[in-house]
Amino acid sequence: MSNERILGIHHMTAITNDAQANVDFYTGTLGLRLTKLTVNFDDPSAYHLYYGDGVATPGSGLTFFPYQGRQGKLGPGQVIATGLAIPADSMGWWVDRFASEGVDFDNPFSRGDEEVLPFRAHDNLPLELVASAAYTPGAPFEGGPVPIERSISRMHSVTIAENYSDATLKLVTETLGFEPVKDEGQRIRLQAANKGPGAYLDLVIDPAMPFGHGGFGTVHHIAWATEDEDTQKTWHETIQTQGYNISPIMNRDYFKSIYFREPGGVLFEIATMGPGMLLDEDEASLGTSLRLPQMYEPIRARIEASMPKLRLPSGVTVPVELAESK
Ligand code: ZN
């Protein structure tokens, strides 16, 4: 291994079936900020919705592609839970909130020194609130419906299911530099360089788990954070040298990305920390209008005409309709 490091989780991206329900759930029920409204850079007929903390810190980011199609089914080679970090004394508050908001949740339970509240989003995406003493406050969104002292600070962990873990473990420890934290046989926790909540990868190993399939309500990929474009180039070489089929370096405007599939089947991305979500909007206006990459600006009118209307947390509906008189 050279000296580049995977810092922790950069973001996770999932497929959802309903953009409006998605905005309402993540900004309303969970109190995250809509930090960017853009299109799928590889398919501008679909939105790409970003949520995060108040300043869109990498590691707080949940992103979604709304697509119709079939409901996904969980299985090996998929992310079976995405953990979100909440303050240690907040579990009761969140249980009450989920009950009053009609969220589909299970009773909280202890896993080691953490309390876990499993729940499903509007599209059945499996999520967990995780409370632990290791919680550190992030940069909460003060304009949301959740009080700051209860707010989700960042992603806590991603949990991947595998029938067999040897090849995945070899990749993440020997190549990507994750350290084992806990090994309970069927459940292994690893952490990236930043350590602690936000840097956890949990592997659940179950040789008998039946295959699932992609679709809405499942995670499309997990992005891991690397410092900058130089370290990303090194990662690209390292991973390619090991025989993985890795994408070219892709410019996502807010970060640069490379993609490859880990041996168990989960799509991994390695994304740069910068330039970040403040590239084209200031902090106050994050997520308040449809942003397009330069390549799609010439066809903005066509894209906007084809997009379903979305009511944003501000009450504004996008795309903004042109005045009739023009
Ligand atoms: Zn991504």
Side-chain angles (χ1 to χ4, degrees):
M1 239 193 93
S2 50
N3 59 4
E4 74 277 5
R5 304 169 308 156
I6 294 295
L7 302 173
I9 302 166
H10 188 288
H11 64 270
M12 80 84 174
T13 296
I15 312 290
T16 188
N17 57 341
D18 185 331
Q20 186 66 61
N22 197 256
V23 170
D24 294 346
F25 186 80
Y26 289 94
T27 66
T29 304
L30 296 188
L32 297 174
R33 182 172 194 182
L34 178 66
T35 55
K36 194 67 66 183
L37 178 65
T38 182
V39 293
N40 183 340
F41 282 21
D42 301 325
D43 172 9
S45 72
Y47 280 121
H48 193 179
L49 301 158
Y50 286 72
Y51 307 95
D53 65 12
V55 294
T57 311
S60 69
L62 302 176
T63 97
F64 294 87
F65 295 132
Y67 278 106
Q68 297 301 323
R70 64 177 177 174
Q71 172 92 53
K73 181 172 174 293
L74 297 182
Q78 287 188 312
V79 173
I80 57 166
T82 298
L84 306 172
I86 58 166
D89 56 355
S90 296
M91 198 50 89
W93 188 89
W94 279 100
V95 168
D96 290 347
R97 180 170 183 80
F98 283 180
S100 70
E101 299 251 329
V103 175
D104 175 20
F105 68 98
D106 303 332
N107 288 329
F109 65 94
S110 295
R111 194 162 59 208
D113 53 4
E114 295 174 340
E115 268 190 288
V116 182
L117 170 58
F119 66 106
R120 268 74 50 195
H122 62 96
D123 52 11
N124 224 27
L125 182 76
L127 299 160
E128 296 173 340
L129 293 182
V130 186
S132 75
Y135 173 92
T136 49
F141 178 42
E142 302 188 8
V146 170
I148 288 170
E149 66 274 16
R150 305 297 184 196
S151 67
I152 293 165
S153 67
R154 58 178 52 78
M155 287 181 64
H156 172 276
S157 50
V158 288
T159 305
I160 289 175
E162 308 275 16
N163 285 145
Y164 305 98
S165 62
D166 289 4
T168 298
L169 270 176
K170 188 169 151 65
L171 169 75
V172 296
T173 58
E174 293 179 18
T175 303
L176 302 182
F178 284 66
E179 295 170 359
V181 181
K182 230 178 347 187
D183 185 346
E184 294 161 353
Q186 290 226 313
R187 189 177 187 97
I188 300 172
R189 169 161 289 178
L190 303 126
Q191 65 181 356
N194 282 349
K195 298 187 181 350
Y200 291 144
L201 167 61
D202 289 355
L203 291 183
V204 168
I205 302 116
D206 179 357
M209 182 182 278
F211 284 110
H213 56 76
F216 67 80
T218 63
V219 171
H220 184 265
H221 64 264
I222 290 296
W224 303 105
T226 191
E227 269 110 344
D228 55 32
E229 293 183 38
D230 288 338
T231 56
Q232 186 177 57
K233 281 193 192 109
T234 309
W235 281 120
H236 192 272
E237 280 172 30
T238 303
I239 292 161
Q240 192 164 41
T241 302
Q242 297 203 2
Y244 287 93
N245 184 8
I246 189 159
S247 76
I249 294 171
M250 320 271 272
N251 184 3
R252 299 320 196 180
D253 280 16
Y254 311 108
F255 42 86
K256 289 196 171 164
S257 299
I258 52 178
Y259 303 85
F260 66 105
R261 225 168 260 286
E262 58 85 26
V266 179
L267 187 61
F268 278 3
E269 171 182 348
I270 297 178
T272 55
M273 290 293 287
M277 309 309 277
L278 297 173
L279 177 75
D280 58 354
E281 288 177 305
D282 62 24
E283 194 182 311
S285 53
L286 280 172
T288 55
S289 64
L290 180 65
R291 310 304 305 183
L292 295 178
Q294 280 310 316
M295 60 184 168
Y296 295 139
E297 278 297 348
I299 56 166
R300 174 180 277 274
R302 193 141 52 89
I303 288 174
E304 290 195 346
S306 72
M307 283 297 185
K309 295 269 173 279
L310 261 188
R311 192 181 57 259
L312 301 185
S314 60
V316 170
T317 296
V318 290
V320 178
E321 298 210 44
L322 296 173
E324 294 285 334
S325 58
K326 281 187 185 167

